[in-house]
Amino acid sequence: MSSFVRSSKFRHVFCDPARPDATYQNLRLSTVTGEQNYIKANPLYFAVGLQGGGGPFTVIPLNKPGKYDSDLPIFNGHSAAVLDFDFNPFHDQIIASASEDQTVKVWGIPEGGLTANVDQPLVDLHGHSRKVTLLRFHPTASNVLASTAADQTVKLWDIEKGSEINSLNDVHKELIQDIVWDYVGGTYATSSKDKNVRIVDARSATLISTLENAHEGAKSIKLTFLGKTEKLLSVGFTRQSQRQFKVWDPRNTSTELKRVDIDQAAGVIMPFYDDDTQLLYLAGKGDGNVRFYEMTDETPYCYPISEHRTNVSAKGMAWVPKRGLNIMGCETARLLKLTSNTVEPLCFFVPRKSEAFQDDIYPDTAAPIPSQTADEWILGSHKPPVLMSLNPANSGATRPSVAKEFVAPKTAAVLQQELNAANERIKVLEARLTEAGLSIE
C-alpha cells in the first residue's frame, strides 16, 4: 500500500537554538502581567520592560548578546508600568510605548542603541481614560498607530502630527485581548474577553462583522491575518481547556473554514505568520514548544510541519523581520524567546547545500518603506506593502507589490468637494458663454 507525501520545500525546516554566548542574559525583567507578548523586535533591536519605578524599558541591539548589568540605559518617561511597545516598521530608530499611566509615548533610539537614559519622548499622546494595553503600527501607512486600553476603546493616532485620527467606542464591553491589522491595513480585528472576534473598518471606526463565540474557552484569544490570502486565524481554547486554532474567511463569519485541536495545556498561544513562506509558528506562554504549519489558501488550509520542544518555558516571544535574518545561511525565521531573565534566539533554517542565494525560499519581502502617507490613507488610499529583494547582490532593491490593489470608493466628503469644484467650473463656463452671446439652451 503506497502513501502520498506532500511535496514542500519547507518539510525539513528545523530550529537551531542559540548557544549560551549568543543569548542575552541577566536581565531584570518587569513583573507586570497582561495580554502583551512582553518583548518586541525589529531587524536591529529588541525591547523589554525592566524592574524599577515609573515603568522603565530598554532596547538592546541584536548584535550584542551577553550578560547585562542592572544599570542598563533605559527609557523612563512614564509614571507607571509599561505594558506594551511596538517598533515603527518604516523607521528602525522609532519605538512607541503604552503604559498604565494612560498615555502612549513615541521615542527616538540613538544610532547604535541607548548609551544613556532617555526621559523625554518625541511625542506624547493622551486620550485614553484607563491604562493602555496594546500597540500596533499600521503595515503600509506611515506614522499610523493603533492602541487599545482598559477603557475598552481602540484609538488610531497620527504620531507625526501627535493627534488622534479616530476612536472605536461603545463596541467592546469587556477587555480587549488582541488587535491585528490585515495585509494592507484597511481593517483591523480584535478579540475580547466576551469570546467574540470583531472586524472593524479602520478609517471610519465602524464595525463590519463579528465572529461570535469564536472559541468557547474562557482564556485569551489571539489573532493573526494570513497575509495576502485575507484569511484570519484565531487561537484559543475549548470549553475543556484544549488549545486550538481556527481559520476564518472575514467575508463569511458564520463558521470557520478549518479547526485544528492542538493539545491540552494552560498557556495562551502566540501566533506568528510569515507571508513570504506561508508558514505559521505557534508559541505558547508558559511552555517551551514552538509548532509550525504550512498554510494554503484552499482546503485543507494547513499542513503540520514539525515542532521545536524544550523544557524551558517562555514568558513571551517576538518575531524578527526578514531584514534581520542570516539570509545566506538559509535562516527563514527567528523568534526571540523571553524567559525569566534571558532572551534566547530561536533560529529556523531550511537545509541547503549550496552557498548561493536561495530565491525559492526568499521571495521579495516587506520593505521599510511606507506605501502611503497617513493623510493619503485617511482619504482612502489602499495600497499593498512595498516589497524588496533579500538578495544581497541586489542591495535591497524595491518594487511595488504584486498583490491585487483594491481601489477604495471615494468618501462622501471627497465627493462633495469634487461636486463643489465642478459646480464652480460650470458657473465660470456659463458666464463666458453669456459674454460671447451664445445660448446654453
Side-chain angles (χ1 to χ4, degrees):
M1 182 178 178
S2 64
S3 61
F4 173 74
V5 177
R6 180 174 178 270
S7 175
S8 170
K9 62 178 73 77
F10 301 109
R11 278 181 57 207
H12 302 294
V13 169
F14 69 95
C15 179
D16 186 15
R19 304 182 310 275
D21 62 355
T23 62
Y24 311 83
Q25 305 170 35
N26 202 35
L27 300 172
R28 298 179 66 251
L29 299 172
S30 170
T31 57
V32 67
T33 59
E35 296 293 341
Q36 67 275 21
N37 285 4
Y38 303 106
I39 179 171
K40 290 284 182 71
N42 73 4
L44 300 180
Y45 310 98
F46 69 84
V48 289
L50 300 177
Q51 295 179 21
F57 73 100
T58 192
V59 295
I60 294 176
L62 293 180
N63 63 358
K64 294 183 179 179
K67 289 188 176 182
Y68 281 84
D69 298 331
S70 59
D71 59 348
L72 269 172
I74 57 173
F75 295 103
N76 61 346
H78 286 284
S79 59
V82 169
L83 298 180
D84 198 17
F85 14 73
D86 203 25
F87 287 96
N88 188 328
F90 311 119
H91 198 312
D92 291 336
Q93 305 299 131
I94 297 293
I95 187 172
S97 59
S99 171
E100 290 182 347
D101 65 11
Q102 305 176 15
T103 69
V104 175
K105 299 184 190 297
V106 181
W107 309 84
I109 306 169
E111 292 289 338
L114 289 175
T115 56
N117 291 352
V118 178
D119 57 12
Q120 292 299 319
L122 302 176
V123 183
D124 203 348
L125 302 171
H126 296 258
H128 287 293
S129 59
R130 296 186 65 185
K131 64 181 181 181
V132 187
T133 53
L134 298 171
L135 294 177
R136 300 289 185 272
F137 270 101
H138 194 282
T140 63
S142 61
N143 301 314
V144 176
L145 176 68
S147 64
T148 72
D151 58 12
Q152 299 159 8
T153 66
V154 179
K155 293 185 182 293
L156 299 189
W157 308 90
D158 182 334
I159 65 169
E160 185 175 25
K161 296 179 180 178
S163 61
E164 181 181 312
I165 296 172
N166 63 43
S167 182
L168 180 70
N169 305 318
D170 304 321
V171 170
H172 298 90
K173 305 303 179 184
E174 297 192 54
L175 177 70
I176 299 171
Q177 298 171 331
D178 203 4
I179 179 170
V180 292
W181 290 97
D182 70 14
Y183 181 66
V184 296
T187 65
Y188 58 79
T190 65
S191 60
S192 174
K193 193 176 180 180
D194 63 8
K195 305 179 184 179
N196 292 340
V197 172
R198 296 169 174 85
I199 300 172
V200 178
D201 181 280
R203 290 182 189 82
S204 61
T206 55
L207 183 65
I208 297 174
S209 59
T210 302
L211 284 61
E212 296 186 0
N213 202 30
H215 296 271
E216 295 180 342
K219 294 184 179 180
S220 293
I221 297 173
K222 297 300 180 181
L223 307 170
T224 183
F225 275 97
L226 299 179
K228 291 185 287 289
T229 70
E230 300 180 350
K231 302 294 189 295
L232 176 65
L233 183 133
S234 63
V235 188
F237 292 79
T238 68
R239 193 171 293 158
Q240 292 76 32
S241 294
Q242 185 176 36
R243 300 195 290 192
Q244 63 178 191
F245 70 81
K246 296 181 180 181
V247 179
W248 306 83
D249 183 348
R251 295 162 295 189
N252 180 12
T253 58
S254 57
T255 186
E256 70 270 11
L257 298 173
K258 177 75 173 182
R259 185 188 71 194
V260 176
D261 294 330
I262 302 170
D263 62 4
Q264 194 87 27
V268 172
I269 287 182
M270 300 165 283
F272 302 92
Y273 180 69
D274 180 6
D275 188 53
D276 299 343
T277 60
Q278 288 81 56
L279 292 184
L280 171 71
Y281 299 81
L282 300 179
K285 286 183 179 180
D287 66 55
N289 304 334
V290 179
R291 296 171 173 84
F292 28 112
Y293 301 78
E294 187 168 6
M295 309 301 291
T296 66
D297 197 22
E298 55 188 20
T299 185
Y301 296 105
C302 72
Y303 297 89
I305 299 293
S306 186
E307 66 178 298
H308 168 68
R309 303 180 70 89
T310 69
N311 57 8
V312 178
S313 62
K315 177 182 178 180
M317 201 77 73
W319 178 263
V320 178
K322 284 289 175 67
R323 294 184 291 117
L325 305 188
N326 178 9
I327 300 302
M328 300 311 293
C330 294
E331 183 185 12
T332 55
R334 189 186 306 167
L335 292 170
L336 299 183
K337 177 182 176 180
L338 182 68
T339 65
S340 59
N341 65 351
T342 301
V343 173
E344 303 175 4
L346 302 179
C347 304
F348 295 83
F349 294 89
V350 173
R352 293 288 171 92
K353 294 181 180 179
S354 172
E355 296 182 358
F357 175 74
Q358 306 293 313
D359 56 2
D360 63 323
I361 60 174
Y362 292 114
D364 290 351
T365 193
I369 301 170
S371 304
Q372 57 220 332
T373 66
D375 288 338
E376 288 170 342
W377 177 79
I378 292 169
L379 291 175
S381 177
H382 200 81
K383 297 178 181 178
V386 175
L387 302 182
M388 63 175 284
S389 171
L390 288 169
N391 189 342
N394 295 339
S395 301
T398 61
R399 65 175 181 82
S401 172
V402 298
K404 181 177 67 176
E405 182 175 338
F406 170 76
V407 179
K410 296 178 180 179
T411 65
V414 171
L415 289 172
Q416 187 62 53
Q417 290 176 359
E418 292 181 353
L419 178 61
N420 293 341
N423 286 334
E424 290 299 321
R425 180 61 176 165
I426 290 170
K427 289 180 181 179
V428 172
L429 293 175
E430 286 178 342
R432 290 180 180 177
L433 289 172
T434 301
E435 291 174 1
L438 300 175
S439 174
I440 60 174
E441 294 182 358

